[in-house]
Each structure stands twice: as structure tokens, then as C-alpha cells.
Amino acid sequence: MHRQFRTAVYDLISDAKRYDSGEFDAIRRSSVTIRTLLYDHKNTHGHNSLSILSQLGLKDSMKFATYFKKSYSDSHADYSYFKTARFDVPDFVTPSKRYYDTYLFAPNYIYEPDYWLPFKKWWTSRLITLDFIEEQFSLTRQNIIMTEANQDGGAHFDSELQPYYRWLRDGATGPTIQNIYDEKLYKGLCGGNIKALKDEDYIFKPRDINLAMTRQIVHETLLSLMQLHHLTFKINYNPDFLHNINSRLNYAFIQIGLRK
């Protein structure tokens, strides 16, 4: 079990390094690792599955770092530390567009979370609340990790995803910028060469915020594990959030926190 624990931690560090170097999809694998580390499954037939941290007797005694401090209940959507960014990517990655519009998790203080929480509250606390006419839906760390691992390519692919997760992933709930033809304004807000755009590139619509959320959860988990003083191995975790920030094409960040 200790060997599996160490392997899981090193996998998280490896995925984080790849994400921080611009391989955004690499962080998707971490959803499975987080599930293995933290998720306890109990069913009525008695076939229970305990997480690694539960089997090691660590989970309930730990405090978990959180980078989400905004708690007002009347928000339509709060993207907290997530900032919009555009990158130039090869055509085989996004064949319909020249550019990849997404979000970055960019904490102000890398090693200083907003506060620390017991596991259950951390796991079930909302990251984003979507407020629709009919209902309000909150996406928690548990919801993001389990949906990504079980349905969206972490461990399995499902043809039908949870609608709220799919809308969030595909950018349906976030900001959209379009029909800007002034070169300076376009380059500042969206980034890229306005004279070399495809038709679809005139629409700046960030997607895959689930990957930025997973990067946040990985960061929080590793910081939390680094607080354990009796580990038999060293956690060499040195996040580099600046690489992606400095590699973006847009000059300006758009940071969203909408309220009624």
C-alpha cells in the first residue's frame, strides 16, 4: 500500500509537470489517481472499496488546501482563480480552429492556500455554481474528478456525459467574445494574428475548464500531502504556473465572477 501511495504521488507530480509545460490533456489522467487516493466506494451488497489514504489511516486526520474562498450564494458563476488564455496549437489538435481557447489555474500564492479544510468538506465544496432559470447546480471536487475519471477519458469514455459537466467543459457556460475586427483590441483580448484567422477564430470561446479544475485539485492534494511529516519518501513538487501564462497569445486576462 505504501508503494502504491508513492506511485500515485509521483504520477500526480508527473501529470502536473506535463500540464505546466503546455500538455493540458495530460492532467486528465490525474482524475483516476485522485479517485484511487481519495474515493471510498460503499454499496448495499457489501462490496466496499477503500481509498489508499483511508487504508493508510490518513484521510480523516488530514487537512486539505483550498484555493476557493468566495462563498456568496447569489453568484451565477464564479471562476475564482481561473483565467482565460489562447494558445497556438497544431491543426491536428483542434482541426476546426488554429487557436486553442481555454482556462488556466493561476493562484496568487503558490504555496499559500486560502485556508485548510477537513476532507469531507473539501471534497464536497463547490468549485463553480451554475444558476439556471429552472435550478441551480454546483460542481464540486468530487463531481469533477469522478465524472472526468468515469466518463470523460480518465479511465472510461461514455457517449453521454452529465449535462452540466459537458456544458462547462465545452464552454457553453463561460464568456464568448466575437465580431471584434479591430486588430489591437482583438490581439489584446483574444490574441493571435487577425489577418491570418479562420472564420471560427473570430469567436473566442474558452473550453476545458475541467482540466484547469483538475490541475487545481492536483495542486491542492499535493500541498496537503506535503504537510504529512512521517512520509517514507520525499515529495519533490515544484509547480510552474508561469510557463503557460507567459506562453499565452492574449495580452489581457478575462477573470470571471458574475453576480446577480
Side-chain angles (χ1 to χ4, degrees), residues 74-137:
D74 61 342
S75 62
H76 283 296
D78 190 337
Y79 286 62
S80 193
Y81 288 107
F82 305 115
K83 295 179 172 64
T84 59
R86 166 170 281 190
F87 298 92
D88 201 346
V89 295
D91 284 342
F92 68 83
V93 177
T94 53
S96 63
K97 297 186 68 174
R98 175 179 174 179
Y99 299 115
Y100 175 57
D101 304 329
T102 190
Y103 295 86
L104 297 176
F105 169 61
N108 296 329
Y109 302 100
I110 295 177
Y111 297 105
E112 297 179 23
D114 293 315
Y115 48 89
W116 301 82
L117 294 173
F119 171 75
K120 186 175 181 180
K121 189 170 184 180
W122 176 82
W123 188 234
T124 59
S125 293
R126 70 184 180 92
L127 287 181
I128 285 182
T129 295
L130 305 176
D131 198 356
F132 299 96
I133 295 175
E134 299 85 0
E135 61 182 316
Q136 187 180 81
F137 188 84

Side-chain angles (χ1 to χ4, degrees), residues 2 66 69 75 81 92 128-129 131 149 163 177 191 219 234 236 257:
H2 284 278
T66 178
K69 62 184 177 182
S75 62
Y81 288 107
F92 68 83
I128 285 182
T129 295
D131 198 356
I177 300 174
H219 182 62
K234 187 175 182 180
N236 293 310

Side-chain angles (χ1 to χ4, degrees), residues 176-238:
T176 299
I177 300 174
Q178 57 186 354
N179 299 327
I180 297 178
Y181 300 103
D182 179 270
E183 188 170 357
K184 286 188 177 180
L185 182 59
Y186 184 90
K187 194 167 185 177
L189 288 177
C190 303
N193 182 2
I194 197 170
K195 297 179 181 178
L197 298 180
K198 300 178 181 179
D199 290 341
E200 285 293 317
D201 292 323
Y202 282 99
I203 301 175
F204 181 79
K205 186 177 182 180
R207 55 170 294 135
D208 292 337
I209 195 174
N210 57 297
L211 300 180
M213 289 177 171
T214 303
R215 181 65 184 94
Q216 173 184 345
I217 296 168
V218 168
H219 182 62
E220 293 172 336
T221 300
L222 287 170
L223 290 190
S224 304
L225 295 174
M226 289 168 68
Q227 303 303 307
L228 299 174
H229 299 296
H230 53 281
L231 294 178
T232 58
F233 61 95
K234 187 175 182 180
I235 300 178
N236 293 310
Y237 172 56
N238 300 291

